[in-house]
Amino acid sequence: MKSLWAVVVCVMVLAGGVARGEKVLVDQDFNGAKLPGGWKDNRSAEDGAKYEKVMADQVAALRVVTVKGQVHVTYALPADVGAGDAYYRLAINGRSVTRGVIQVGLRVQGARKMAWSGRMELVEVMSEQSMTFEMGKQPGGLVLTMTLPTAGSVDLAHVKLVQITREEMVEQMKAQYPKGGTTQNLLRVSRFPQGVQSGGAIGRDRSDEDYEVAGDMNVTGPSEAPALRIKCAKGVRFLLPPAEVRWTFMKHTASVYVRGHGSGALSVMADGVGVGAQGFTVNSDQWQRVVLTFEPGLMAREHQLVLDCSGEVWVDAFQLEPGEKATDYVTRPEVSLAFPKTDASVARIQFDDDPAIINFMVTGGGDNALNTKVYDIYGEERQLTDIALSGEEISTGSLQYELFMGHSYGVFRIEAWVEDQTGKRISPMSEIVILRVPRARDWDDDAMDSPFGVHLGPVHRQMVIAKAVGMNWVRLHDAGVEATAWASVEPVKGEWHWRDDEVKRYRDHHLMLLGTLQQSPGWASGYGKPTDDYWLHYLEPVDMAAWGEYVTKTTGHYKDSIQAWDIWNEPWNRFWSVWDAKKNEAVRSPTAGEDYAKLEKATFVAAKAVNPTFRLAGLNSTGGTHGKGWTKEVAAADGLSGCDLYSYHSYSNEMAGFPGDVAERHFQDALGPAIQKLGGKLDKPVWMTEGTGANGAITRGFYHYSAPGEDAEDAMEVADRLVRYEVSTLAQGAAKVFLYSMNVGGEFRPGAGEYQSLVTDDGFPEPSAAAHAVMAWHLEGKHFVKRIELAKGVYASIFEGENHSVAVITSAVTYGKYVLPGDVIALDVRDLFGNDVPDKTVFDGRTTYVDVQGSEGDLEKALVHQGVKRATTRGS
């Protein structure tokens, strides 16, 4: 199953707007006050969605308002759909003022199996989103499904689903890109004299201490530029910036020159899936060419060359071209951009006390000119003065990018290219994205009480990103889980394996750890034999004595490094199952809540015997209906007693920052039944141990050329949603928030990154990371006090520290006029990225910080200068 986000240009259109070779399966206007004939929803009269006819951006549409839970809208497709392999295109014309995500799919009738599924994020204006996908033969009739957001409204105007042939897709490619089979080198970057370039990456499983990947000025490659030196005894993965292959229906050839002493492989991925590989071994200082001919992914938008190397190898002159043979390497000027070495340069972050400069190296530039342009996250741009190149093979220098009055902080992009003396561009476009943020308050220190955490691997550059943007905690789940999970530390009974070096690496970066006690080795569950299957490690353990020994040894071994422990992961779903030997599959236990309560208590006793000061996180619930049911089940089994704090998970892409928002709903879903059981008040702290407020929102960040494709990300919007969610989660009473996840491997894929926070697909910071840095800088060391309404729909969440208070101002979807305070001594007003806001500016709906030296009472007086506050909400 493959899918591709795209806006496809249809050619050879016949009467009725149908391209030759297309079979229309659904072509439905939604322009009434109810679902059209043949369409159904899953709601009863009591909790059904509300439907009304509206005019949305001058288009007649059906507004669907979710009353409770999720609304599933379905339409039965013709019986022959899915009878064989075919390609399909689904297009939805609609809008959502809260940027709601619609889950779309084709489901087998009478079954829960999805034949295909995808996601579409609707934006505030009426627009068409489309997906093209491939689907194999299915066992029965299919139903088109649309699962609408759990809150807010969606305006639907039109839904169209067509089936298309391979021949038609090829015709469209040829018509849209008539020269798609002639470009000799499709790579934007073919040589790397200053190391990894924008869009490129090093695989997530290798930390920076274990390898060297850098330009070598002492070795000239076939491109006549300094070659890239790769040294790693264990082997390291180098991923090039992705490229667009226009004619994916024909074979292409990738190539690279190598020398040195080592081995490896050149491979190609299409939208993150391998489509070919060619191994090599070198033991000479003579250059040899590695050539790989492959079939591109027909619907893949991005193809990415990957080089896996072990030993010491130099590489140069990468090429990707149409056809079945490697032609001579294309000689052309190229611009390489790099960070000067600073504390966080490996993470492509500069603090406000670092020089605002970027280094450049032009290879093959001759006596032409370097042109550069700087952009900031606010939409401003500046053209720099052209730089005359030296006339030599290599020209170097630096660029200053802090050019925008009042906007010293945030996200900046430098674009650079070479022009000849007639003004014609003669090089590919190069770019680099820089985050400029205030230096993190706990950059060089542990911060036990910090509320900010994340999921990431024991990889130096990831940990530098985390600390630089204000993260002080890491939860060891998925990334880093091997250090503490039972299946990893005791895969064979009595054989113990520890990851001391990895745990030390986290702690050397001043990251506090929330270890996870989870995952049964095959021998300790109902499965009864060794297994490497991910899901089979989430079977309930059958021997509490063996589990207790694991807890004792693991917490004891790491007692000096890890003082907080999470008991299992997401036991409310398939992560907590039992083995059914008759069915030969994992199933849900009818006593799952009771089983978990027993495990929780056994864990608590064993860990506390090692160290009574350990903090044990239990309950492990979630937002939504799953959480309500799970919390009731665990509470009924006395599962609230076997822990020091309650944990829950919360994923969303909804706007937050106002009463009744998704953060509040998820908190109440997960903790409400516990509050009720306890007589109206929680008796322990609460940690939100996994989630994000911008789930499925990150696509290309602030890149322009580094990641090809049609995914247009509103980076300002993504950043705003993330910090709103975190602030609102803290305002509910959560003491910590752990975002999931930064553990990204460098493979670019189409569409949004699900379960991805703070970084783009290459593993480098996305603009929301800069906004998080500013939020953490303001709130570190402070606690939530109250939320007040400043104007209709405008809210201030007030946090107080020692003689210092901060208000985070956010809004509902619709809101009234509010003028930000000014002319107050010792008061600062800053925007989402930390830049000063002029006195008495009208609030624009983006997260804004009002910072005052004084108490929350002093701050409130400054905030309500326009009138009396309308409502107050106290934190839990």
Side-chain angles (χ1 to χ4, degrees):
M1 179 179 68
K2 299 177 182 178
S3 63
L4 170 66
W5 282 96
V7 177
V8 181
V9 177
C10 294
V11 297
M12 303 181 70
V13 179
L14 305 180
V18 181
R20 186 179 68 194
E22 288 187 352
K23 178 182 179 181
V24 178
L25 306 176
V26 178
D27 193 1
Q28 182 70 65
D29 286 320
F30 289 76
N31 53 12
K34 61 180 182 180
L35 288 172
W39 293 80
K40 301 178 181 179
D41 67 24
N42 66 320
R43 312 324 306 265
S44 65
E46 293 75 23
D47 65 355
K50 293 181 179 179
Y51 297 101
E52 58 181 299
K53 181 178 180 178
V54 297
M55 292 298 295
D57 299 332
Q58 300 182 333
V59 177
L62 173 67
R63 174 161 293 171
V64 187
V65 181
T66 304
V67 177
K68 180 181 178 182
Q70 290 184 319
V71 174
H72 303 281
V73 177
T74 62
Y75 181 83
L77 298 174
D80 61 343
V81 177
D85 295 348
Y87 301 93
Y88 302 84
R89 185 182 307 119
L90 174 65
I92 297 179
N93 191 27
R95 74 172 187 179
S96 169
V97 295
T98 58
R99 293 207 168 203
V101 174
I102 296 181
Q103 303 280 350
V104 294
L106 300 183
R107 177 171 53 80
V108 178
Q109 286 189 1
R112 297 182 65 183
K113 177 186 176 184
M114 296 296 292
W116 168 82
S117 63
R119 296 161 52 92
M120 290 188 180
E121 180 184 0
L122 301 184
V123 295
E124 298 90 333
V125 296
M126 186 64 68
S127 58
E128 182 176 284
Q129 308 289 331
S130 70
M131 296 184 75
T132 302
F133 58 95
E134 178 183 4
M135 187 177 68
K137 183 178 180 180
Q138 299 302 313
L142 297 176
V143 176
L144 172 63
T145 70
M146 297 189 296
T147 301
L148 306 184
T150 56
S153 65
V154 170
D155 297 336
L156 295 174
H158 193 83
V159 174
K160 186 174 183 179
L161 176 67
V162 298
Q163 181 176 323
I164 52 182
T165 65
R166 177 185 173 89
E167 291 71 25
E168 176 63 16
M169 293 184 67
V170 171
E171 286 184 11
Q172 291 177 8
M173 290 178 197
K174 289 181 177 179
Q176 188 172 2
Y177 305 110
K179 297 183 179 180
T182 60
T183 305
Q184 191 173 350
N185 196 348
L186 299 172
L187 299 176
R188 185 177 57 85
V189 185
S190 70
R191 48 189 184 259
F192 298 86
Q194 294 195 112
V196 180
Q197 292 295 289
S198 178
I202 301 297
R204 68 182 183 183
D205 296 325
R206 191 69 67 209
S207 186
D208 307 62
E209 299 92 339
D210 297 333
Y211 67 84
E212 296 177 48
V213 177
D216 188 340
M217 296 298 292
N218 296 315
V219 177
T220 300
S223 71
E224 300 302 323
L228 182 71
R229 176 175 174 261
I230 301 176
K231 183 178 181 180
C232 184
K234 299 178 182 178
V236 66
R237 167 161 284 200
F238 169 51
L239 302 100
L240 275 71
E244 286 185 282
V245 174
R246 301 297 196 184
W247 283 14
T248 57
F249 54 85
M250 66 179 293
K251 288 185 177 181
H252 280 60
T253 298
S255 59
V256 61
Y257 285 90
V258 300
R259 55 165 274 191
H261 305 276
S263 62
L266 172 67
S267 59
V268 177
M269 290 190 299
D271 290 348
V273 178
V275 293
Q278 177 63 57
F280 66 85
T281 299
V282 289
N283 192 23
S284 169
D285 290 337
Q286 299 299 310
W287 290 99
Q288 68 181 56
R289 200 174 195 186
V290 181
V291 178
L292 167 65
T293 299
F294 64 96
E295 294 275 3
L298 181 64
M299 293 189 303
R301 190 181 58 194
E302 295 154 356
H303 287 76
Q304 199 167 7
L305 271 60
V306 180
L307 199 67
D308 290 283
C309 290
S310 61
E312 185 176 27
V313 176
W314 285 261
V315 299
D316 187 45
F318 288 88
Q319 191 150 291
L320 174 62
E321 57 191 309
E324 299 186 36
K325 67 176 183 177
T327 61
D328 291 342
Y329 171 74
V330 177
T331 301
R332 64 192 182 187
E334 288 189 14
V335 184
S336 175
L337 300 172
F339 280 74
K341 187 171 180 57
T342 59
D343 286 355
S345 56
V346 68
R348 299 183 183 171
I349 293 173
Q350 290 182 339
F351 294 131
D352 51 4
D353 52 4
D354 293 326
I357 60 173
I358 291 295
N359 294 333
F360 72 81
M361 179 183 293
V362 179
T363 54
D367 56 0
N368 296 296
L370 175 66
N371 284 246
T372 52
K373 206 169 189 178
V374 182
Y375 301 78
D376 72 4
I377 193 71
Y378 300 91
E380 301 170 300
E381 58 184 77
R382 296 283 188 276
Q383 180 92 34
L384 278 65
T385 303
D386 294 354
I387 298 173
L389 300 177
S390 65
E392 303 294 329
E393 184 62 31
I394 298 174
S395 298
T396 61
S398 61
L399 305 167
Q400 209 279 345
Y401 64 84
E402 197 173 9
L403 306 172
F404 305 100
M405 184 69 68
H407 290 158
S408 296
Y409 295 104
V411 187
F412 302 85
R413 182 178 71 245
I414 296 176
E415 296 179 1
W417 65 99
V418 177
E419 290 185 0
D420 66 15
Q421 296 177 10
T422 68
K424 178 183 177 182
R425 179 167 66 87
I426 57 174
S427 76
M429 296 295 293
S430 181
E431 69 178 355
I432 195 167
V433 171
I434 311 109
L435 270 64
R436 190 164 183 83
V437 298
R439 184 174 288 271
R441 293 193 183 276
D442 298 297
W443 173 246
D444 290 319
D445 298 303
D446 291 350
M448 175 75 74
D449 296 327
S450 173
F452 304 114
V454 71
H455 294 70
L456 54 78
V459 175
H460 173 67
R461 58 192 177 279
Q462 289 189 2
M463 293 185 282
V464 172
I465 294 172
K467 284 296 287 189
V469 303
M471 292 298 186
N472 291 299
W473 279 80
V474 172
R475 178 173 178 256
L476 303 180
H477 168 65
D478 284 347
V481 71
E482 296 85 359
T484 62
W486 194 11
S488 298
V489 302
E490 194 186 12
V492 177
K493 186 172 178 58
E495 294 184 7
W496 298 90
H497 303 265
W498 308 110
R499 303 292 183 98
D500 295 342
D501 290 344
E502 294 177 3
V503 169
K504 183 178 184 299
R505 192 174 288 163
Y506 285 116
R507 294 296 295 119
D508 285 347
H509 285 78
H510 299 288
L511 289 164
M512 310 303 298
L513 296 176
L514 174 60
T516 55
L517 298 166
Q518 59 168 316
Q519 293 190 0
S520 300
W523 62 265
S525 70
Y527 189 67
K529 54 187 176 182
T531 178
D532 290 326
D533 185 278
Y534 178 84
W535 288 109
L536 291 181
H537 285 158
Y538 283 100
L539 296 174
E540 297 181 18
V542 295
D543 185 342
M544 283 297 102
W547 169 265
E549 182 184 17
Y550 150 67
V551 172
T552 299
K553 283 188 176 292
T554 302
T555 59
H557 183 83
Y558 293 121
K559 65 181 184 297
D560 295 329
S561 301
I562 307 176
Q563 284 80 45
W565 296 91
D566 201 4
I567 304 173
W568 212 261
N569 176 71
E570 296 190 352
W572 44 270
N573 69 10
R574 67 182 293 196
F575 287 92
W576 184 246
S577 304
V578 295
W579 184 253
D580 189 320
K582 291 182 179 179
K583 294 182 178 180
N584 197 39
E585 64 180 7
V587 299
R588 187 76 172 169
S589 168
T591 58
E594 182 180 345
D595 298 346
Y596 178 76
K598 291 177 180 178
L599 179 99
E600 186 185 69
K601 291 178 182 178
T603 306
F604 189 83
V605 170
K608 289 291 187 177
V610 175
N611 185 346
T613 67
F614 280 157
R615 286 181 289 177
L616 279 296
L619 181 59
N620 214 315
S621 193
T622 185
T625 55
H626 285 297
K628 291 179 182 178
W630 176 252
T631 302
K632 287 180 181 178
E633 196 175 341
V634 174
D638 193 31
L640 301 181
S641 62
C643 58
D644 298 301
L645 55 96
Y646 302 124
S647 67
Y648 77 104
H649 294 178
S650 171
Y651 284 94
S652 172
N653 188 23
E654 296 180 29
M655 183 183 292
F658 49 88
D661 66 9
V662 64
E664 182 176 330
R665 297 198 314 272
H666 282 184
F667 189 92
Q668 291 302 318
D669 291 340
L671 282 306
I675 294 172
Q676 185 177 8
K677 177 76 173 179
L678 294 165
K681 185 177 181 181
L682 290 173
D683 59 341
K684 297 169 184 175
V686 176
W687 291 7
M688 200 297 292
T689 54
E690 184 182 316
T692 178
N695 195 37
I698 291 175
T699 54
R700 295 300 181 256
F702 202 46
Y703 288 144
H704 188 196
Y705 300 100
S706 300
E710 300 293 338
D711 288 331
E713 177 181 328
D714 186 338
M716 186 82 79
E717 177 73 17
V718 173
D720 187 48
R721 285 184 183 240
L722 181 68
V723 298
R724 280 170 170 260
Y725 159 88
E726 289 196 79
V727 169
S728 194
T729 299
L730 294 173
Q732 305 314 311
K736 295 191 191 300
V737 177
F738 289 80
L739 296 183
Y740 189 95
S741 165
M742 281 174 50
N743 193 43
V744 177
E747 302 92 350
F748 272 96
R749 294 176 170 88
E754 188 113 31
Y755 307 118
Q756 182 172 322
S757 288
L758 303 178
V759 294
T760 45
D761 285 358
D762 57 3
F764 287 99
E766 196 264 350
S768 59
H772 186 281
V774 172
M775 183 265 297
W777 186 87
H778 279 98
L779 299 188
E780 194 66 67
K782 301 175 181 65
H783 63 277
F784 176 72
V785 178
K786 66 173 70 172
R787 176 190 279 161
I788 62 175
E789 188 172 10
L790 303 173
K792 184 175 176 58
V794 179
Y795 301 92
S797 298
I798 298 179
F799 294 77
E800 185 178 41
E802 185 176 349
N803 196 35
H804 206 111
S805 300
V806 173
V808 187
I809 301 180
T810 53
S811 67
V813 177
T814 58
Y815 57 94
K817 180 179 178 180
Y818 175 71
V819 178
L820 294 164
D823 301 328
V824 177
I825 295 174
L827 180 143
D828 294 294
V829 182
R830 303 184 184 96
D831 68 10
L832 179 64
F833 291 101
N835 292 298
D836 291 337
V837 176
D839 286 352
K840 298 185 178 180
T841 297
V842 176
F843 175 64
D844 64 358
R846 298 288 187 200
T847 300
T848 304
Y849 303 92
V850 180
D851 187 334
V852 64
Q853 293 182 19
S855 68
E856 58 90 8
D858 298 327
L859 178 56
E860 187 171 346
K861 290 177 184 177
L863 292 170
V864 297
H865 64 282
Q866 291 183 302
V868 180
K869 60 183 184 291
R870 299 170 183 265
T872 301
T873 304
R874 286 277 172 183
S876 300

